[in-house]
Amino acid sequence: MALCTAASLSARGRYERDAELAELRAWQREGAHSATGECVGITAGVAHALVNGAPSIDIDDGLDACVRAIPIALFHFADSAAREQALATSAALTS
């Protein structure tokens, strides 16, 4: 998931919610950005959010949003406003 987020940031030069969502869906469906070429370790909460476009109030995503936070924090290190907005938006994808 972190690699999907990093790829999205790198390709666009900024955080875009729909671009991150597209990368995560490609990981889920095709194993994009995975060393094995398969989607490994996806939680039920994240799978639900990616399929339905919104998180479930009944299924926790665990700490998956935290995994995606690392590339965002590094990418927007010098811009705290952009960092905070991107982190909140990214977390809302699955949490």
Side-chain angles (χ1 to χ4, degrees):
M1 294 179 72
L3 291 176
C4 293
T5 300
S8 174
L9 290 165
S10 177
R12 285 154 186 82
R14 66 186 177 283
Y15 179 81
E16 291 181 12
R17 177 198 179 277
D18 292 339
E20 182 184 27
L21 186 57
E23 293 289 349
L24 292 169
R25 285 178 170 160
W27 168 65
Q28 181 186 32
R29 287 189 313 268
E30 304 153 14
H33 308 293
S34 171
T36 64
E38 298 176 5
C39 176
V40 177
I42 192 168
T43 63
V46 170
H48 178 277
L50 296 181
V51 168
N52 296 300
S56 169
I57 60 170
D58 299 321
I59 307 171
D60 184 29
D61 83 334
L63 297 176
D64 292 329
C66 293
V67 171
R68 297 191 314 271
I70 295 166
I72 292 170
L74 293 173
F75 189 84
H76 290 297
F77 180 77
D79 186 345
S80 62
R83 182 177 60 244
E84 290 174 19
Q85 179 62 40
L87 288 170
T89 303
S90 179
L93 289 174
T94 58
S95 299

